[in-house]
Amino acid sequence: MTGTPPRPARPLFSRGSWPEVSRIGDILRTETVGGALLLGAAVLALVWANSPWSAAYQDLVAFKVGPHALHLDLTLAQWAADGLLAIFFFVAGLELKREFVAGDLRDPRRAVMPVAAALGGMVAPALIYVAINAGTAGGALSGWAVPTATDIAFALAVLAVISTHLPSALRTFLLTLAVVDDLLAILIIAVFYTSSLQVLPLLAALVPLGLFAVLVQRRVRSPWLLLPLAALTWGLVHASGIHATVAGVLLGFMVPVLRRDHRSGPGLAERFEHRWRPLSAGFAVPVFAFFAAGVSVAGAGGIGAALRDPVTIGIVAGLVVGKTVGVLGATWLVQRFSRASLGDGVSWWDVLGLSLLAGIGFTVSLLIGELAFGVGSEKDEHARLGILAGSLIAAVLATLVLRARNRHYRLICAAEEVDADADGVPDVYERDMEER
């Protein structure tokens, strides 16, 4: 008796559905603009911090504002790291929940590869950093998580600068890897970089968080109701000793993804994401970069001393070598054990290019560096130099690999845009639907 032939494994880098690809395209355009602003803010901070007017920059970074009675008299740099980045992680929480509830990644077969790549891209850099700093004194090992993060806005800005046309499957993979990376980073921050935990404020934070959840589950969208509850949740999490950005992720997870009537159309999470992502990418992240990237070479003890520090070496090696080995190796293992093909037009050179691009760690890496070594310390200055140097090297290497394949990418993108029947859906996506 002849059995049913086994169903062929889905390609690892398949295109996905047209609605999801279209939505991700909108997200990436917003993040690309934000990445350009991020680069501009970082360059401005570096130039100012190393100019004759560097004292004015340092005074601005250290300027305090906020109510002392509530223990919120924070420096502008702290407000940027604790407050503005909470918006960034709120958007990341919305995106992650939507991907796994309503996006293409609700299919475990599609989710396993970017999740595995994100895990590999965090474990390998951490191991390399620890190996380099194992015999180093002075708390250097506390920075093990610095090279584990990927900055999607910075990576997309690099793609825009070099004018590389990545096919939709590769763009989806890059975004999903970065979103999972953000979640893992916030877990690391919550678990490993919480020095003292105050239980009462943490328990109290559950009250406004719960009220926020009840309101959004009832599809309440009034900012007059939601923003005070979100701010109170943020303040209590901050008072508990856990980094306040964790509150952003928790609030994002509370927002429902699907519509109550289950009809087609954007749910509340997508509406919130559409509203808050421009603020996150266009303001919150660039302002944080401005306050965090202004490392003074003289203040770091000179460029020579900084580059000889195992902390700097470990971060550069983690971002450039660790990320590449981790992402590429994890992808190879998934392909090896699933026996799936990479996908139409995708080669291992493309995976290498994306793996190198994942080594661009900036926003979250700077945040973890501050938490690990303390703002303004010599090791924090060296960590920032390592992040900048490692990200630059990774960007250059990724450029060399991806630019070499750009003609091939243009052909794929051109094929993905053909809509012969003019129904608004490119033909390749209609064919994909028929074959499934």
Side-chain angles (χ1 to χ4, degrees):
M1 181 176 179
T2 304
T4 303
R7 185 179 181 181
R10 182 191 295 269
L12 295 182
F13 292 91
S14 55
R15 271 184 290 267
S17 63
W18 171 243
E20 190 70 2
V21 169
S22 180
R23 187 186 69 86
I24 288 175
D26 292 338
I27 291 174
L28 295 184
R29 280 188 286 273
T30 302
E31 292 290 353
T32 300
V33 174
L37 295 173
L38 169 66
L39 287 173
V43 171
L44 176 61
L46 279 170
V47 172
W48 193 356
N50 290 279
S51 72
W53 305 278
S54 60
Y57 173 80
Q58 299 300 333
D59 290 342
L60 180 64
V61 169
F63 184 78
K64 286 192 173 184
V65 62
H68 176 75
L70 299 177
H71 303 287
L72 290 176
D73 51 336
L74 308 177
T75 66
L76 291 180
Q78 288 174 316
W79 276 112
D82 293 9
L84 291 180
L85 282 193
I87 300 174
F88 168 80
F89 279 110
F90 173 70
V91 174
L94 290 172
E95 172 62 24
L96 185 71
K97 182 176 181 181
R98 192 197 179 285
E99 283 291 334
F100 284 96
V101 172
D104 285 346
L105 294 184
R106 65 186 183 277
D107 182 352
R109 294 175 300 168
R110 291 181 62 86
V112 64
M113 199 263 290
V115 171
L119 286 170
M122 298 196 97
V123 172
L127 291 177
I128 289 176
Y129 180 92
V130 170
I132 292 174
N133 286 271
T136 306
L141 282 177
S142 62
W144 63 269
V146 173
T148 61
T150 295
D151 195 311
I152 184 63
F154 206 148
L156 291 173
V158 170
L159 290 178
V161 168
I162 65 178
S163 187
T164 297
H165 296 71
L166 281 183
S168 61
L170 298 180
R171 286 184 281 131
T172 300
F173 169 76
L174 182 62
L175 176 64
T176 308
L177 184 150
V179 170
V180 177
D181 189 287
D182 288 339
L183 175 66
L184 296 175
I186 203 68
L187 289 175
I188 288 174
I189 290 171
V191 175
F192 295 100
Y193 293 101
T194 298
S195 55
S196 60
L197 180 63
Q198 303 295 323
V199 177
L200 288 180
L202 184 60
L203 292 177
L206 297 177
V207 177
L209 179 64
L211 292 174
F212 181 91
V214 169
L215 290 176
V216 293
Q217 290 296 327
R218 293 177 176 272
R219 276 54 178 183
V220 173
R221 291 186 284 172
S222 170
W224 302 106
L225 293 174
L226 298 179
L227 286 180
L229 292 173
L232 185 56
T233 302
W234 176 89
L236 289 169
V237 171
H238 182 275
S240 73
I242 297 177
H243 199 269
T245 51
V246 175
V249 175
L250 294 176
L251 289 165
F253 283 168
M254 297 300 107
V255 182
V257 171
L258 302 176
R259 293 179 53 156
R260 181 178 293 175
D261 54 14
H262 297 287
R263 290 186 297 178
S264 60
L268 193 57
E270 190 171 347
R271 292 179 184 276
F272 280 9
E273 185 182 343
H274 181 74
R275 179 181 300 175
W276 288 96
R277 186 177 290 278
L279 179 63
S280 170
F283 180 75
V285 173
V287 170
F288 168 76
F290 172 77
F291 285 110
V295 55
S296 170
V297 175
I303 191 69
L307 293 179
R308 290 192 298 270
D309 189 343
V311 168
T312 309
I313 297 171
I315 291 172
V316 172
L319 289 173
V320 178
V321 180
K323 275 289 185 180
T324 304
V325 171
V327 174
L328 186 63
T331 305
W332 181 84
L333 287 173
V334 171
Q335 191 274 336
R336 174 71 175 79
F337 287 103
S338 67
R339 300 185 181 277
S341 64
L342 289 180
D344 293 339
V346 179
S347 77
W348 285 108
W349 282 106
D350 304 320
V351 183
L352 173 62
L354 292 182
S355 301
L356 288 166
L357 202 63
I360 300 176
F362 195 76
T363 305
V364 180
S365 291
L366 289 172
L367 174 61
I368 295 176
E370 292 180 356
L371 296 175
F373 301 119
V375 179
S377 66
E378 185 178 83
K379 288 195 181 300
D380 179 42
E381 299 284 328
H382 291 182
R384 284 191 275 176
L385 281 175
I387 293 165
L388 293 171
S391 298
L392 179 60
I393 294 170
V396 171
L397 294 176
T399 297
L400 294 175
V401 174
L402 295 175
R403 281 294 299 177
R405 296 274 292 168
N406 199 36
R407 184 177 180 183
H408 176 67
Y409 297 152
R410 286 180 182 273
L411 294 175
I412 296 177
C413 290
E416 291 179 342
E417 293 172 358
V418 174
D419 184 15
D421 54 6
D423 63 351
V425 179
D427 299 342
V428 292
Y429 296 97
E430 293 180 333
R431 288 197 297 268
D432 288 345
M433 286 296 297
E434 293 172 358
E435 294 172 358
R436 289 175 186 172

